[in-house]
Amino acid sequence: MARGLFWLSLLVVFFILAWSGWNEYQKLEAYRQWAENFDQAKYDIYAIIGVKGKEITWGKPSRSIPNTLPKFLLTDVDKIELLVNDKSVDLGNLPNKGKPIIQFNFINKDQSSIKIPFTEIDLAAKWVKYLDNLTKV
């Protein structure tokens, strides 16, 4: 009986892992189809972001193709900064650990800032540089 319980628990764990993998695969496929319409796009477990010209579309990844996600124009952005653990950091001196977020502050002070989370500090820094270059063009 003990062997049966052991194998049954392993079977349950296997099905949970299989479902989790299938769920993540569905998210990646939806993202792949969504990202085809953009010049540059990013996917991670926290957020998706797409850039087409000077328009930014962002949101949370899901298993279905996202249709109605928030958008804004880079021409409306006053400042783009990288935050790690809610503190602004210098792009030339990045910390090794922390929770990176790109914050967009708008010219119109009535509009609240937008924060897009990232999983990796280096990747977030590359995106800040890329988006800064787009605002200068």
Side-chain angles (χ1 to χ4, degrees):
M1 176 137 165
R3 287 185 188 163
L5 290 175
F6 173 73
W7 287 109
L8 181 62
S9 63
L10 282 179
L11 185 62
V12 168
V13 168
F14 172 77
F15 279 116
I16 290 171
L17 288 175
W19 179 84
S20 178
W22 177 82
N23 190 36
E24 195 60 32
Y25 174 76
Q26 293 298 317
K27 286 181 184 180
L28 285 171
E29 279 301 303
Y31 164 76
R32 185 185 58 76
Q33 292 174 7
W34 174 79
E36 290 174 352
N37 299 325
F38 295 98
D39 301 333
Q40 187 80 356
K42 180 216 58 116
Y43 170 90
D44 68 30
I45 59 174
Y46 295 128
I48 56 175
I49 182 172
V51 178
K52 178 88 172 179
K54 292 202 178 229
E55 183 178 66
I56 303 226
T57 305
W58 66 281
K60 293 191 177 209
S62 66
R63 289 188 296 181
S64 61
I65 298 172
N67 293 328
T68 56
L69 292 176
K71 298 178 183 185
F72 61 91
L73 294 173
L74 282 174
T75 54
D76 298 336
V77 173
D78 180 41
K79 184 178 179 185
I80 303 170
E81 60 184 330
L82 175 61
L83 306 177
V84 177
N85 295 332
D86 291 326
K87 295 178 183 170
S88 184
V89 297
D90 178 28
L91 295 179
N93 188 19
L94 296 173
N96 295 328
K97 294 181 182 178
K99 295 175 77 177
I101 293 173
I102 295 180
Q103 179 171 297
F104 297 89
N105 297 317
F106 292 94
I107 296 170
N108 181 0
K109 299 299 179 190
D110 295 335
Q111 189 173 0
S112 62
S113 63
I114 293 177
K115 295 181 178 182
I116 301 177
F118 276 68
T119 53
E120 299 176 20
I121 296 171
D122 293 337
L123 182 61
K126 288 178 185 175
W127 269 86
V128 168
K129 291 175 186 174
Y130 170 73
L131 294 170
D132 270 340
N133 288 338
L134 283 179
T135 58
K136 295 174 184 171
V137 174

